[in-house]
Amino acid sequence: REYHTYDEMLAELQAIAAANPDICELHNIGPTVQGRALWFMKISDNVAVEEDELEFKYISTMHGDEPVGAEMCMYFINLLVNEYGIDPELTELVNETEIWIMPLMNPDGNAMGIRYNANGVDLNRNFPDRVDDPVNTPAGREIETANVMNWNFLHQPIFSANFHTGALVANYPWDHCFDPQANHAYTDNQDVLLAAAETYSWNNPPMWNNNWGSFTNGTVNGVDWYQISGGMQDWNYHWMGDMDITMEISNQGWPPSSTLPGYWEDNRESMIAYM
């Protein structure tokens, strides 16, 4: 399996939505700097109706040169659609949850093979930050960041994850704290977030067995690892009431496409169990 280009990914998403109109709806939430659309696939029973259901989201590849998560999201969308009505657990997830999946948050950077967006900005340093940028506004931010923020203002996911590569660990909030020397910073929901991180890691044996440095069973508190300002997960948690975990799913940033089926084998149960 090769990595998707943006156009290939869009064509596949459109085909899936067209073939499964009862449970799939493709949403364009706005453009990128270079005019590509940002696409969310919504998967739910009664997909056209705004039901009183829990909302969940997966977002990947806000760093354009970290595309493994985008492929995992495509595998996962196909899994949910293909197993709906067949696999009881997946059928129940679709029936009882409003699922939103954005495989590619930075298609411009991905097309250029770079981390940043087309303006040279790291989107995971561009969100409001409770420590040093505490105004929850999209004004003045990159268009990709603003589009994701505006989507979130209209929705209320209570749990989410965003996918990266470059390490093998589930990184949970906080990523930034008021003490630059702190060696950890926990939220009020530390027990829940740690349990969620461990759920993902436990189902991904290479991650679970990663106890490098400050990692414990493939999990780490963001501040304990390294602090960043403007990260998406802290913004989701602090302002949106959304427990968001940053999933680093490959030590290699952009591994050969021949390894993708193996990564899917590692992440498949994790993506189900975490949701």
Side-chain angles (χ1 to χ4, degrees):
R1 170 163 185 157
E2 296 296 314
Y3 286 97
H4 289 76
T5 65
Y6 173 82
D7 289 336
E8 289 165 349
M9 185 172 288
L10 175 55
E12 184 173 328
L13 291 170
Q14 288 172 329
I16 293 168
N20 302 276
D22 295 343
I23 59 168
C24 291
E25 214 173 54
L26 199 52
H27 289 252
N28 171 2
I29 69 160
T32 63
V33 173
Q34 294 180 341
R36 294 176 175 90
L38 295 176
W39 295 99
F40 257 122
M41 180 69 92
K42 179 185 178 185
I43 303 177
S44 189
D45 70 335
N46 307 315
V47 71
V49 181
E50 187 61 43
E51 294 185 285
D52 185 19
E53 289 183 330
L54 299 176
E55 292 185 57
F56 180 97
K57 76 172 185 283
Y58 277 142
I59 290 184
S60 187
T61 313
M62 60 194 305
H63 292 148
D65 60 353
E66 300 177 10
V68 176
E71 299 301 325
M72 297 304 103
C73 286
M74 295 301 291
Y75 272 113
F76 192 65
I77 289 168
N78 278 291
L79 177 73
L80 290 174
V81 167
N82 294 336
E83 293 296 320
Y84 182 69
I86 299 169
D87 180 288
E89 181 184 27
L90 295 173
T91 302
E92 185 180 10
L93 278 174
V94 172
N95 285 345
E96 301 300 329
T97 318
E98 197 174 288
I99 300 164
W100 294 83
I101 302 174
M102 179 185 286
L104 189 54
M105 183 179 157
N106 183 6
D108 297 354
N110 181 250
M112 291 185 283
I114 61 171
R115 175 185 182 92
Y116 308 100
N117 78 344
N119 288 333
V121 174
D122 185 333
L123 298 177
N124 206 32
R125 307 291 188 274
N126 191 235
F127 283 81
D129 190 286
R130 69 189 181 114
V131 176
D132 56 14
D133 183 12
V135 182
N136 190 24
T137 175
R141 302 188 193 278
E142 293 302 302
I143 192 168
E144 295 90 350
T145 310
N147 287 333
V148 168
M149 289 178 67
N150 285 326
W151 178 88
N152 273 277
F153 293 150
L154 299 174
H155 296 269
Q156 290 82 39
I158 57 161
F159 245 97
S160 59
N162 67 98
F163 294 98
H164 296 253
T165 54
L168 197 56
V169 71
N171 172 99
Y172 57 86
W174 300 105
D175 267 338
H176 199 194
C177 102
F178 295 91
D179 173 7
Q181 304 304 316
N183 58 11
H184 66 267
Y186 297 140
T187 69
D188 295 339
N189 291 291
Q190 163 64 8
D191 54 338
V192 179
L193 284 161
L194 178 58
E198 288 179 334
T199 295
Y200 198 96
S201 180
W202 167 249
N203 286 281
N204 182 327
M207 185 183 286
W208 180 260
N209 291 318
N210 187 9
N211 291 290
W212 175 83
S214 52
F215 301 173
T216 305
N217 294 332
T219 69
V220 70
N221 173 249
V223 165
D224 192 18
W225 190 11
Y226 63 96
Q227 293 204 41
I228 67 166
S229 173
M232 186 165 70
Q233 79 171 14
D234 281 15
W235 174 76
N236 272 313
Y237 182 85
H238 183 67
W239 275 285
M240 306 312 296
D242 174 12
M243 297 198 206
D244 193 19
I245 294 180
T246 301
M247 304 297 182
E248 301 271 359
I249 59 173
S250 164
N251 284 315
Q252 269 187 284
W254 196 322
S257 60
S258 60
T259 62
L260 290 172
Y263 282 110
W264 175 234
E265 201 58 41
D266 290 340
N267 287 280
R268 179 181 181 274
E269 290 305 319
S270 293
M271 291 180 78
I272 297 168
Y274 184 77
M275 185 183 289

